[in-house]
Amino acid sequence: MNHCVVGLQWGDEGKGKIVDILAEHSDIVVRYSGGANAGHTVIVGDTRFALHLLPSGCVRPETMCAITNGVVIDPEVLIDGIEKLAEKKLSLDGRLLVSENAHVVLDYHKIEDQLREQSLGKNKLGTTIRGIGPCYADKVGRSHAVRMADFRNLDELQAKLKSVVEYKNKVFAALYNAEPISSDTVFEKCKTYSEKLLPYITDTTEFLHQSIKENKSILFEGAQGALLDLDHGTFPFVTSSNSSSLGMSAGCGVPAKFVDEFIGVVKAYTTRVGAGPFPVEQDNDIGQYIRDKGNEYGTTTGRPRRCGWFDAVAVSYSATICAIDSVAMLHLDTLSGLKELNICRAYMMNGEEKTFFPANIARLAQARPVYTTVPGWGEDITEIKEFQDLPANARNYIQRVEELIGKPITIIGVGPRRDQTIFREKSELK
Ligand code: GDP
Ligand code: IMO
Ligand code: MG
């Protein structure tokens, strides 16, 4: 069986935890899009891993890991990830494959990301400053792109970097009055990257199709969330890749028909990092309660996450474009203690109730959430193992959300650990 796990909100839904759990029954875990803007948390016993580029299956010593064409790779972050795992006796030798066709994030991409954000002032996008946008822009532009395969021929890479850095310096000086950077410095770093990463660089598309022929079980791990998708999210407050499940096929060369189940991950409420519209945001005591209780601070940047109620309009949309079969809802425990809970069931727009999410932000700005209010529960649910043992109001909350999004919720998170997960045999919708 092949599965694809994808976030259905604005990222940080808990994909890392779900991938880690499902990886127990997978031979291969694949990261297919995004870059080190992602921060996926996996907790194994007392150890907490914050993974930025490595697939979350990497913490299981038997699992093969692939980083495919659609990912933009910051070699520094990748090497750091490999070395940190090795320190924990989790070697990736012989079980990590990195696509030769994946694009490389270099220093000048991160500098450009920062300069651009600074220059935008209050209109900034709130990116992670990981060089994601500039690297994808170079990929689409083609002429100034560096790919992992370029680490195989250092002479050619040196010449290419000379002209690319010369061009970047002209742009940085003209647009931002910034100091030039040295192509020699960039190249020296690339020599180290090449030395350390060459053993992993290969054709991941061939590997995946061979694995499919051998009936291996593959788990595709999405990064970010569908509402941050470049084409289908809340543009321009999105990331620079197709972070919905629509990006999976292009990102790894495996058509969606090879995936048996698409699993959407949501939180029991909504969070967002960075700028952009967020109709259900609670910039008040409720939002602060969720932030404190759910420890809602970014895994990659440490920024406080914006918090709000569950938005069934947004999630129905994401689940539709991602062809979701079932949903994992995490952080149910975080809602314990709130007297009443709101679920956004529609948007009021120009005097009419709408249930189809308007991804266009000018229209989204007009949307006023229409809430269904349900009673909360006071009990601590963090050690509950079975659905029927949850407080009646918690079960009711899950069932109400299921009805509104039209998808079965089959996995429920009641805490960050692996064993704080409830698997539900059947929901009314399945
Ligand atoms: P990802 O980017 O989608 O992998 O999510 P992150 O790792 O950035 O953020 C999710 C956070 O929630 C991490 O700190 C997880 O350890 C934590 N987490 C995951 N599931 C649960 C849950 O059910 N309850 C609580 N309280 N925390 C959870
Ligand atoms: P994971 O995989 C949450 C957000 C940034 C910013 C916007 C653009 O951990 O869910 P970028 O650096 O990509 O150009 O920033 O996208 N963003 C994320 N938010 N989780 C993520 O990843 C994110 N990756 C990017 O905060 O608003
Ligand atoms: Mg994250």
Short mmCIF file of all heavy atoms in Angstrom, two decimals, residues 95-118:
data_model
loop_
_atom_site.label_atom_id
_atom_site.label_comp_id
_atom_site.label_asym_id
_atom_site.label_seq_id
_atom_site.Cartn_x
_atom_site.Cartn_y
_atom_site.Cartn_z
N ARG A 95 20.78 4.26 2.94
CA ARG A 95 19.31 4.30 2.98
C ARG A 95 18.74 5.70 2.73
O ARG A 95 17.56 5.95 2.94
CB ARG A 95 18.76 3.70 4.27
CG ARG A 95 19.08 4.46 5.53
CD ARG A 95 18.51 3.74 6.75
NE ARG A 95 18.71 4.54 7.94
CZ ARG A 95 17.80 5.30 8.51
NH1 ARG A 95 16.59 5.35 8.01
NH2 ARG A 95 18.08 6.00 9.58
N LEU A 96 19.61 6.61 2.28
CA LEU A 96 19.12 7.94 1.87
C LEU A 96 19.46 8.15 0.41
O LEU A 96 20.61 7.96 -0.01
CB LEU A 96 19.77 9.05 2.71
CG LEU A 96 19.48 10.48 2.23
CD1 LEU A 96 18.00 10.84 2.37
CD2 LEU A 96 20.33 11.50 3.00
N LEU A 97 18.45 8.51 -0.37
CA LEU A 97 18.67 8.81 -1.78
C LEU A 97 18.23 10.25 -2.03
O LEU A 97 17.11 10.63 -1.65
CB LEU A 97 17.86 7.88 -2.68
CG LEU A 97 18.26 6.40 -2.65
CD1 LEU A 97 17.46 5.65 -1.60
CD2 LEU A 97 18.02 5.78 -4.01
N VAL A 98 19.09 11.02 -2.67
CA VAL A 98 18.79 12.42 -2.93
C VAL A 98 18.80 12.62 -4.45
O VAL A 98 19.77 12.24 -5.12
CB VAL A 98 19.85 13.34 -2.28
CG1 VAL A 98 19.57 14.80 -2.60
CG2 VAL A 98 19.88 13.13 -0.76
N SER A 99 17.75 13.21 -4.96
CA SER A 99 17.64 13.34 -6.42
C SER A 99 18.73 14.22 -7.02
O SER A 99 18.98 15.34 -6.55
CB SER A 99 16.28 13.93 -6.79
OG SER A 99 16.28 14.20 -8.18
N GLU A 100 19.32 13.72 -8.09
CA GLU A 100 20.31 14.51 -8.83
C GLU A 100 19.66 15.74 -9.47
O GLU A 100 20.33 16.71 -9.78
CB GLU A 100 20.96 13.64 -9.91
CG GLU A 100 19.95 13.06 -10.91
CD GLU A 100 20.51 11.93 -11.76
OE1 GLU A 100 21.69 11.59 -11.63
OE2 GLU A 100 19.73 11.37 -12.57
N ASN A 101 18.35 15.68 -9.65
CA ASN A 101 17.65 16.79 -10.31
C ASN A 101 17.03 17.80 -9.35
O ASN A 101 16.38 18.76 -9.78
CB ASN A 101 16.57 16.25 -11.25
CG ASN A 101 17.19 15.51 -12.41
OD1 ASN A 101 18.30 15.85 -12.84
ND2 ASN A 101 16.53 14.48 -12.91
N ALA A 102 17.19 17.57 -8.06
CA ALA A 102 16.67 18.55 -7.09
C ALA A 102 17.53 19.80 -7.14
O ALA A 102 18.75 19.73 -7.35
CB ALA A 102 16.68 17.95 -5.69
N HIS A 103 16.90 20.95 -6.94
CA HIS A 103 17.64 22.22 -6.99
C HIS A 103 18.26 22.55 -5.64
O HIS A 103 17.78 22.10 -4.60
CB HIS A 103 16.70 23.33 -7.47
CG HIS A 103 16.43 23.22 -8.95
ND1 HIS A 103 16.88 24.14 -9.87
CD2 HIS A 103 15.81 22.25 -9.67
CE1 HIS A 103 16.52 23.76 -11.08
NE2 HIS A 103 15.86 22.61 -10.98
N VAL A 104 19.34 23.34 -5.71
CA VAL A 104 20.14 23.61 -4.51
C VAL A 104 19.92 25.04 -4.03
O VAL A 104 19.99 25.99 -4.82
CB VAL A 104 21.65 23.39 -4.81
CG1 VAL A 104 22.47 23.61 -3.55
CG2 VAL A 104 21.89 21.99 -5.38
N VAL A 105 19.66 25.17 -2.73
CA VAL A 105 19.56 26.50 -2.11
C VAL A 105 20.96 26.90 -1.65
O VAL A 105 21.60 26.18 -0.87
CB VAL A 105 18.62 26.46 -0.88
CG1 VAL A 105 18.59 27.82 -0.18
CG2 VAL A 105 17.21 26.03 -1.28
N LEU A 106 21.45 28.02 -2.15
CA LEU A 106 22.78 28.49 -1.74
C LEU A 106 22.65 29.81 -0.97
O LEU A 106 21.55 30.37 -0.88
CB LEU A 106 23.67 28.62 -2.98
CG LEU A 106 24.00 27.23 -3.59
CD1 LEU A 106 24.62 27.36 -4.97
CD2 LEU A 106 24.93 26.43 -2.67
N ASP A 107 23.78 30.29 -0.45
CA ASP A 107 23.75 31.49 0.42
C ASP A 107 23.01 32.66 -0.22
O ASP A 107 22.25 33.37 0.45
CB ASP A 107 25.18 31.95 0.73
CG ASP A 107 25.81 31.10 1.82
OD1 ASP A 107 25.08 30.29 2.43
OD2 ASP A 107 27.03 31.23 2.04
N TYR A 108 23.25 32.84 -1.53
CA TYR A 108 22.64 34.04 -2.14
C TYR A 108 21.11 33.95 -2.20
O TYR A 108 20.43 34.96 -2.27
CB TYR A 108 23.25 34.32 -3.54
CG TYR A 108 23.34 33.15 -4.48
CD1 TYR A 108 22.23 32.69 -5.17
CD2 TYR A 108 24.56 32.50 -4.68
CE1 TYR A 108 22.32 31.62 -6.04
CE2 TYR A 108 24.67 31.43 -5.55
CZ TYR A 108 23.54 30.98 -6.23
OH TYR A 108 23.63 29.92 -7.09
N HIS A 109 20.57 32.73 -2.16
CA HIS A 109 19.10 32.62 -2.11
C HIS A 109 18.57 33.11 -0.76
O HIS A 109 17.56 33.81 -0.69
CB HIS A 109 18.66 31.16 -2.31
CG HIS A 109 18.94 30.65 -3.69
ND1 HIS A 109 19.71 29.53 -3.93
CD2 HIS A 109 18.55 31.11 -4.90
CE1 HIS A 109 19.78 29.32 -5.24
NE2 HIS A 109 19.09 30.27 -5.85
N LYS A 110 19.28 32.74 0.30
CA LYS A 110 18.83 33.15 1.65
C LYS A 110 18.99 34.67 1.81
O LYS A 110 18.13 35.34 2.39
CB LYS A 110 19.61 32.37 2.71
CG LYS A 110 19.21 30.89 2.72
CD LYS A 110 19.97 30.07 3.74
CE LYS A 110 21.16 29.40 3.12
NZ LYS A 110 21.83 28.41 3.98
N ILE A 111 20.10 35.19 1.26
CA ILE A 111 20.33 36.65 1.34
C ILE A 111 19.21 37.38 0.59
O ILE A 111 18.61 38.33 1.08
CB ILE A 111 21.71 37.01 0.75
CG1 ILE A 111 22.82 36.44 1.65
CG2 ILE A 111 21.87 38.51 0.57
CD1 ILE A 111 24.22 36.51 1.05
N GLU A 112 18.90 36.86 -0.62
CA GLU A 112 17.85 37.51 -1.43
C GLU A 112 16.49 37.46 -0.73
O GLU A 112 15.74 38.44 -0.75
CB GLU A 112 17.78 36.79 -2.79
CG GLU A 112 16.90 37.50 -3.79
CD GLU A 112 16.96 36.84 -5.17
OE1 GLU A 112 17.86 36.01 -5.42
OE2 GLU A 112 16.07 37.13 -5.98
N ASP A 113 16.20 36.33 -0.10
CA ASP A 113 14.93 36.17 0.62
C ASP A 113 14.84 37.26 1.70
O ASP A 113 13.83 37.97 1.83
CB ASP A 113 14.91 34.78 1.27
CG ASP A 113 13.51 34.26 1.56
OD1 ASP A 113 12.55 35.01 1.39
OD2 ASP A 113 13.39 33.09 1.97
N GLN A 114 15.94 37.43 2.44
CA GLN A 114 15.96 38.40 3.52
C GLN A 114 15.88 39.84 3.01
O GLN A 114 15.10 40.66 3.51
CB GLN A 114 17.24 38.23 4.32
CG GLN A 114 17.34 39.17 5.50
CD GLN A 114 18.19 38.59 6.60
OE1 GLN A 114 19.15 37.88 6.32
NE2 GLN A 114 17.85 38.86 7.83
N LEU A 115 16.67 40.14 1.97
CA LEU A 115 16.68 41.51 1.43
C LEU A 115 15.30 41.89 0.92
O LEU A 115 14.81 43.00 1.14
CB LEU A 115 17.71 41.63 0.30
CG LEU A 115 19.19 41.57 0.71
CD1 LEU A 115 20.08 41.47 -0.53
CD2 LEU A 115 19.57 42.80 1.53
N ARG A 116 14.66 40.92 0.25
CA ARG A 116 13.36 41.22 -0.34
C ARG A 116 12.32 41.45 0.76
O ARG A 116 11.52 42.38 0.71
CB ARG A 116 12.92 40.09 -1.26
CG ARG A 116 11.73 40.51 -2.11
CD ARG A 116 11.25 39.42 -3.00
NE ARG A 116 12.28 38.90 -3.90
CZ ARG A 116 12.14 37.79 -4.62
NH1 ARG A 116 11.05 37.09 -4.54
NH2 ARG A 116 13.09 37.39 -5.43
N GLU A 117 12.35 40.60 1.77
CA GLU A 117 11.40 40.75 2.88
C GLU A 117 11.61 42.11 3.56
O GLU A 117 10.64 42.82 3.83
CB GLU A 117 11.56 39.62 3.89
CG GLU A 117 10.93 38.31 3.46
CD GLU A 117 9.42 38.31 3.58
OE1 GLU A 117 8.76 38.71 2.60
OE2 GLU A 117 8.89 37.93 4.64
N GLN A 118 12.90 42.45 3.81
CA GLN A 118 13.21 43.74 4.46
C GLN A 118 12.67 44.89 3.63
O GLN A 118 12.06 45.82 4.15
CB GLN A 118 14.71 43.91 4.60
CG GLN A 118 15.25 43.40 5.93
CD GLN A 118 16.77 43.30 5.91
OE1 GLN A 118 17.43 43.74 4.97
NE2 GLN A 118 17.33 42.68 6.94
#
